[in-house]
Amino acid sequence: DTGVSQDPRHKITKRGQNVTFRCDPISEHNRLYWYRQTLGQGPEFLTYFQNEAQLEKSRLLSDRFSAERPKGSFSTLEIQRTEQGDSAMYLCASSHPARDVGETQYFGPGTRLLVL
Amino acid sequence: DQQVKQNSPSLSVQEGRISILNCDYTNSMFDYFLWYKKYPAEGPTFLISISSIKDKNEDGRFTVFLNKSAKHLSLHIVPSQPGDSAVYFCAASEIYNFNKFYFGSGTKLNVKP
């Protein structure tokens, strides 16, 4: 399977703990994205990498959130001092530069986080 | 402020009939639009896209229509099948910031056998 993979699929943690999620994009895709989805809403953009460079961060990404993509391949999203409001589905997507207008992002299965 | 809106949270259609899912947007800089389908416990799966230079794009049973003057797009599924039952999201990106997608809140489609 050459799709986007995410690990873990589910995470339950206590408030105040740190958590880290991993995303492995489609191998030939140099762009990687993180989104957050809460119940009844569509995915919301968090951040975006082109190769190893983090090029854009949403205002949703507070100081407790950090994302890395050290070698331009897999990426990690860390949440420090988790809060109950962080409970959500965290989605990763990847894309390849399009030759014409528009790019299609391909999503992984997501990591569902529950903060108790 | 949501720039992409799906005002129908749910839609129920009989198998074999047409499903029409609607999406409205407010940002005139959007120039690329996509539809994704999402099953429970899975990530969104890309269905079909359209750029602003077109008003229609067709792929098998799925057709997306874009009305730029009304800032409205729709997804038609003909004929609808029970396996189409899922949540459908429309998404849009801007001409100068194409990497950032804005999603609607989704429409849950139920296709009854």
Side-chain angles (χ1 to χ4, degrees):
Chain A
D1 184 25
T2 57
V4 178
S5 62
Q6 293 187 245
D7 184 69
R9 294 290 305 275
H10 305 273
K11 179 70 177 179
I12 300 174
T13 191
K14 293 182 179 179
R15 189 176 54 189
Q17 297 294 304
N18 299 344
V19 294
T20 300
F21 309 141
R22 175 179 171 127
C23 171
D24 287 88
I26 294 171
S27 58
E28 64 268 25
H29 288 183
N30 65 349
R31 292 178 174 157
L32 187 147
Y33 312 81
W34 286 98
Y35 288 82
R36 182 175 71 184
Q37 185 179 14
T38 53
L39 198 62
Q41 300 298 317
E44 294 175 287
F45 173 83
L46 291 178
T47 189
Y48 145 65
F49 290 85
Q50 179 156 313
N51 299 312
E52 65 275 8
Q54 188 173 17
L55 297 185
E56 187 169 352
K57 290 166 61 173
S58 164
R59 290 171 299 171
L60 294 174
L61 217 63
S62 75
D63 291 345
R64 297 184 297 105
F65 288 71
S66 63
E68 294 182 345
R69 195 182 182 197
K71 297 182 180 178
S73 57
F74 73 91
S75 175
T76 58
L77 177 68
E78 181 183 16
I79 309 174
Q80 296 182 327
R81 304 180 303 280
T82 52
E83 302 173 355
Q84 288 181 327
D86 297 331
S87 296
M89 172 78 85
Y90 290 85
L91 293 161
C92 176
S94 69
S95 71
H96 189 276
R99 285 187 288 271
D100 49 23
V101 295
E103 284 188 14
T104 298
Q105 296 180 15
Y106 295 89
F107 283 82
T111 295
R112 182 168 293 283
L113 173 67
L114 177 61
V115 182
L116 301 176
Chain B
D1 180 34
Q2 261 200 311
Q3 301 185 49
V4 178
K5 298 180 182 179
Q6 294 176 256
N7 293 318
S8 298
S10 63
L11 175 68
S12 188
V13 170
Q14 201 70 36
E15 180 180 7
R17 305 294 291 270
I18 184 172
S19 295
I20 300 176
L21 296 100
N22 294 302
C23 180
D24 297 293
Y25 61 96
T26 57
N27 187 343
S28 58
M29 298 299 288
F30 286 154
D31 77 326
Y32 188 59
F33 305 88
L34 309 92
W35 284 94
Y36 285 84
K37 178 170 74 173
K38 187 179 184 302
Y39 293 117
E42 294 183 13
T45 302
F46 169 71
L47 265 180
I48 192 169
S49 62
I50 188 169
S51 72
S52 59
I53 60 174
K54 296 183 177 181
D55 54 18
K56 176 182 174 182
N57 189 27
E58 195 170 351
D59 183 2
R61 296 186 297 114
F62 302 93
T63 303
V64 55
F65 295 92
L66 176 63
N67 183 334
K68 291 184 288 293
S69 60
K71 294 191 175 67
H72 177 84
L73 68 155
S74 61
L75 175 68
H76 292 209
I77 306 173
V78 183
S80 302
Q81 299 173 354
D84 296 329
S85 297
V87 178
Y88 289 78
F89 292 98
C90 66
S93 64
E94 293 179 345
I95 186 169
Y96 297 118
N97 192 10
F98 50 83
N99 297 296
K100 185 175 178 179
F101 281 12
Y102 296 83
F103 282 83
S105 55
T107 296
K108 185 174 184 178
L109 174 66
N110 179 33
V111 180
K112 297 177 288 186

